[in-house]
Amino acid sequence: MTRVLIADDDHLMRAGLIELLTADPGIQIAGQAATGHEAVERAGRLAPDVVLMDVRMPDLDGIAATRQLSRTAPEVKILILTTFEQDDYIFSALRAGASGFLLKRARPEELISAVHTVAAGDALLSPSVTRRVIDRLAQQPIPALADQARLGLLTPRERETLELIARGLSNREIATALVIEESTARSHVKRILMKLGLRDRVQAVIFAYETGINRPR
């Protein structure tokens, strides 16, 4: 059972999300929050698996709340759900520790699938967001040597796998590209995250581009 906390300052939006999510027998609503501070406090107290976090909320916005939760309750997965597809929101949310970013215009089945995906420890971005993340990160300057040195922790095959993650490939697609079993690809991904101290694939994509390993030549 996946327990979800809904954080949105719009009462009707919260009610609609509750009705939608409870239609799935594998989802339980752990609680609600109308402000960023409430989201942080209730996530800490109720220990949900996933927080559905709006960006624009009173007193503490969703990005700042995400940043706080990433420090105080890192085991809680945060899925940003918003009407705003602005680059600054996207990158700020992902850097703050969100595991996914989905637009409110997504279909109901996409939202339910997103909740389960994030709860399982995977990262999720809508296709348009994924493309923009990659395009934006590919333009960043070469980072500090400390981040470059962390790449030395990876084997050649793990580094190759990281490059494919940064291109947005799934485990199945990575397995096909490297001519290995999907279970082996999954193991490579887990070891990469563990060695680099990254929480999920979103952070792996950001790290890959910040270290320049997938930068267009």
Side-chain angles (χ1 to χ4, degrees):
M1 181 68 70
T2 298
R3 302 178 68 252
V4 178
L5 174 71
I6 298 173
D8 196 302
D9 63 335
D10 187 323
H11 174 75
L12 290 178
M13 176 59 68
R14 294 198 308 274
L17 288 171
I18 289 171
E19 182 176 1
L20 169 63
L21 294 174
T22 52
D24 186 303
I27 294 177
Q28 179 184 57
I29 303 302
Q32 304 179 47
T35 71
H37 282 306
E38 286 183 1
V40 173
E41 185 276 326
R42 292 176 187 177
R45 176 165 52 86
L46 300 172
D49 300 301
V50 177
V51 175
L52 276 183
M53 185 81 76
D54 189 23
V55 170
R56 289 186 175 176
M57 290 188 291
D59 77 33
L60 187 71
D61 65 46
I63 293 170
T66 295
R67 189 174 297 110
Q68 285 195 23
L69 279 175
S70 295
R71 292 194 302 264
T72 61
E75 70 282 358
V76 176
K77 309 299 183 183
I78 301 169
L79 176 60
I80 299 292
L81 185 64
T82 183
T83 56
F84 305 102
E85 196 176 6
Q86 297 177 18
D87 285 356
D88 286 345
Y89 287 137
I90 294 170
F91 301 114
S92 295
L94 297 180
R95 291 185 187 282
S99 293
F101 193 104
L102 198 66
L103 299 177
K104 287 182 178 178
R105 65 171 179 262
R107 296 190 302 272
E109 60 269 24
E110 290 177 329
L111 175 58
I112 290 173
S113 176
V115 168
H116 288 301
T117 296
V118 170
D122 292 325
L124 180 137
L125 299 173
S126 63
S128 64
V129 170
T130 301
R131 183 70 262 162
R132 288 158 68 181
V133 167
I134 291 174
D135 289 345
R136 170 89 167 250
L137 292 174
Q139 298 170 9
Q140 293 194 353
I142 297 297
L145 292 177
D147 285 338
Q148 292 279 355
R150 291 170 66 191
L151 288 174
L153 299 172
L154 304 181
T155 65
R157 177 46 63 93
E158 288 167 353
R159 180 165 174 151
E160 193 175 7
T161 301
L162 178 58
E163 293 176 1
L164 297 177
I165 293 173
R167 286 166 47 189
L169 272 64
S170 66
N171 288 341
R172 179 174 298 178
E173 291 167 334
I174 290 172
T176 299
L178 299 180
V179 195
I180 57 177
E181 295 293 329
E182 185 175 350
S183 59
T184 303
R186 189 177 303 112
S187 295
H188 286 330
V189 173
K190 288 182 178 179
R191 283 198 299 271
I192 289 167
L193 297 181
M194 181 183 66
K195 286 183 176 182
L196 298 178
L198 304 174
R199 189 168 63 178
D200 54 35
R201 295 173 85 101
V202 168
Q203 290 191 345
V205 170
I206 292 173
F207 178 86
Y209 277 92
E210 285 184 337
T211 51
I213 72 167
N214 220 29
R215 190 178 306 277
R217 292 172 174 80

